[in-house]
Amino acid sequence: MNKRITKKKDRFIIFKRILLVIILLFFLKELIIYQPILNLFETQKVIAKIINEKNGMRRSHLTGDFVYSYSFEYKGKEYKNESDNQNFIVGQELIVEFNPTFPFINRIYKSRFTE
């Protein structure tokens, strides 16, 4: 009887640990997964355009602050991401770097054009 209870407790502990890892990966995916892929593996650069798609910032329901998204095309498919910069205006072009294997993993290329 005690062995059965111990097995159930062990399974529950393993389940909690796996669930915790999945939750951490979800919330920290940019830091744990996306940044290393862009820093360690081959990237390509492409010109993207700021589009009229607003993304609310932290506490935007109180302040009304937002940033625009940018979009670019790779192999006939459009990819979008937040610009994370309030200074961009719709129609402005910028350079984006992305991983060719996973183009949805992309970021604005830091250069003199984005400062």
Side-chain angles (χ1 to χ4, degrees):
M1 190 75 169
N2 287 338
K3 288 183 181 181
R4 190 179 292 169
I5 292 172
T6 309
K7 280 186 176 182
K8 283 186 178 183
K9 284 184 180 181
D10 289 344
R11 286 182 185 164
F12 186 67
I13 290 171
I14 291 170
F15 174 75
K16 287 193 321 187
R17 288 180 181 169
I18 290 172
L19 187 63
L20 178 67
V21 168
I22 290 171
I23 290 170
L24 285 173
L25 282 175
F26 176 76
F27 286 110
L28 299 174
K29 65 184 171 208
E30 293 213 7
L31 184 64
I32 295 173
I33 299 170
Y34 290 5
Q35 281 186 2
I37 286 176
L38 290 173
N39 290 336
L40 299 174
F41 297 104
E42 174 192 359
T43 59
Q44 292 182 0
K45 293 172 184 63
V46 67
I47 295 178
K49 203 172 241 187
I50 299 293
I51 57 174
N52 192 13
E53 185 176 295
K54 297 178 181 179
N55 301 296
M57 296 181 68
R58 188 174 180 190
R59 297 189 184 109
S60 65
H61 60 286
L62 300 173
T63 62
D65 290 342
F66 65 90
V67 294
Y68 288 111
S69 292
Y70 62 84
S71 73
F72 66 94
E73 197 170 302
Y74 179 67
K75 292 188 177 178
K77 188 171 180 186
E78 183 181 34
Y79 296 93
K80 298 178 185 179
N81 207 353
E82 291 183 18
S83 65
D84 294 333
N85 189 334
Q86 291 179 315
N87 299 326
F88 289 125
I89 56 175
V90 176
Q92 186 175 358
E93 292 183 343
L94 54 119
I95 299 173
V96 171
E97 77 176 325
F98 66 95
N99 182 284
T101 308
F102 306 108
F104 61 89
I105 300 177
N106 58 71
R107 66 181 170 200
I108 297 173
Y109 181 66
K110 300 293 182 199
S111 69
R112 63 185 176 93
F113 300 111
T114 58
E115 301 300 324

